Amino acid sequence: MNTPIEHDIYTLHRGTAPLFVSLPHDGSHIPDALAARMVPAARKAPDTDWHVSILYDFARALGASVIVPRHSRYVVDLNRPPDDTSLYPGQNTTGLCPAVRFSGEPVYLEGQAPSPDEVAARVEQYWRPYHDALRAEIDRVHGVHGRVVLWEGHSIRGSDLPFLFEGRLPDLNLGTSNGASCSPQLQQRLEAVLSGQVDYDFVVNGRFKGGYITRHYGEPARGIDAVQLEISQRNYMDEDSFVYQAGKAAVLQDVLRALLASNL
């Protein structure tokens, strides 16, 4: 196996298959000076996509490249555009350097939210290196194989988040930017895998259609397909304590493995 590339901002494992797994919200580190400006609840980085790098650990055995960031989305959200244009106009969401949590409650103590200049500086320090690495690895894999599937792995609390959505989120939420970020053939294969399993309900291009990375990097006409899967966290962890539940996760990993293998 190749030695991972360790960077201050991310870890990149370079694989041999035309598959690249990006986990942009797995990071939970918040620098001390920044954490001191946050409300106590936010310092725990509750909106992290907890344990997705463990869930997708098997991907390396499939030959996939994998990139995992170090820092929390509260430092900068790697799946938002650098100009912070809303991905879901008219719906509540959180921004490039979030000032509110998924609960709608504040991230920062009063008067401590970042200024536009600070946001721009964070983009250069944290956002840009991740995206430079993402672009370079997409180009490398595409150059080797003539094609690449960029798989965006995400997770979120699946209920009790009325700020973002009403009621209960389906177990598995596949997003392809309404079919624009990947080929119809790939979407059909993924939907066939989801339809063929019996453990989880799912939706395609529902509340979560794919974020900035899926929409920006997907170029199916060039053989660059991009797909996002948002998983409800109840399926592999305790949503209140954030504790990973290996038994539940093993069942989910069987489905994830089938989804990723259908890309090869």
Side-chain angles (χ1 to χ4, degrees):
M1 302 291 281
N2 294 334
T3 301
I5 297 170
E6 298 285 352
H7 189 280
D8 290 344
I9 305 303
Y10 60 82
T11 298
L12 173 63
H13 169 87
R14 283 183 169 154
T16 56
L19 177 61
F20 185 15
V21 177
S22 166
L23 307 174
H25 294 150
D26 180 84
S28 59
H29 177 68
I30 302 173
D32 291 343
L34 182 54
R37 295 163 51 192
M38 295 180 175
V39 299
R43 296 169 192 166
K44 300 176 183 178
D47 297 333
T48 301
D49 291 13
W50 294 105
H51 313 300
V52 289
S53 59
I54 300 174
L55 269 182
Y56 284 99
D57 185 62
F58 68 86
R60 292 180 294 173
L62 296 177
S65 296
V66 182
I67 187 168
V68 184
R70 180 177 178 226
H71 293 86
S72 167
R73 70 191 306 155
Y74 288 171
V75 178
V76 71
D77 192 327
L78 299 169
N79 201 30
R80 297 290 185 273
D83 64 0
D84 207 14
T85 301
S86 177
L87 296 170
Y88 295 95
Q91 294 179 291
N92 286 336
T93 186
T94 54
L96 179 61
C97 291
V100 296
R101 291 172 272 154
F102 289 170
S103 63
E105 298 170 294
V107 170
Y108 291 93
L109 298 167
E110 187 173 355
Q112 293 298 313
S115 67
D117 285 346
E118 182 181 350
V119 171
R122 289 194 210 173
V123 167
E124 292 306 313
Q125 183 174 357
Y126 301 103
W127 189 98
R128 194 75 59 194
Y130 188 89
H131 282 266
D132 286 348
L134 197 64
R135 177 82 268 172
E137 187 64 5
I138 290 170
D139 291 346
R140 184 192 72 82
V141 175
H142 186 265
V144 172
H145 299 279
R147 67 182 184 94
V148 59
V149 174
L150 175 62
W151 185 272
E152 276 283 292
H154 293 261
S155 74
I156 191 171
R157 185 182 181 95
S159 59
D160 302 320
L161 287 178
F163 179 74
L164 294 182
F165 55 83
E166 294 297 329
R168 174 189 178 277
L169 194 69
D171 295 323
L172 303 175
N173 302 263
L174 188 72
T176 65
S177 190
N178 289 328
S181 67
C182 77
S183 71
Q185 295 82 6
L186 174 57
Q187 182 164 325
Q188 289 166 9
R189 292 199 301 273
L190 296 172
E191 290 187 31
V193 172
L194 291 172
S195 297
Q197 56 80 39
V198 297
D199 294 299
Y200 307 102
D201 61 357
F202 71 93
V203 68
V204 179
N205 291 312
R207 172 62 179 86
F208 296 102
K209 304 178 189 299
Y212 173 77
I213 292 174
T214 303
R215 303 182 199 193
H216 179 73
Y217 291 100
E219 296 182 82
R222 289 187 56 220
I224 302 174
D225 293 307
V227 176
Q228 175 176 299
L229 184 67
E230 188 84 58
I231 299 169
S232 290
Q233 292 175 340
R234 61 177 173 267
N235 295 295
Y236 69 91
M237 59 175 272
D238 182 275
E239 292 184 317
D240 295 318
S241 68
F242 309 144
V243 172
Y244 187 74
Q245 297 175 323
K248 293 172 74 172
V251 179
L252 178 59
Q253 285 175 311
D254 286 342
V255 176
L256 297 180
R257 189 176 289 106
L259 287 167
L260 265 61
S262 74
N263 296 310
L264 300 175

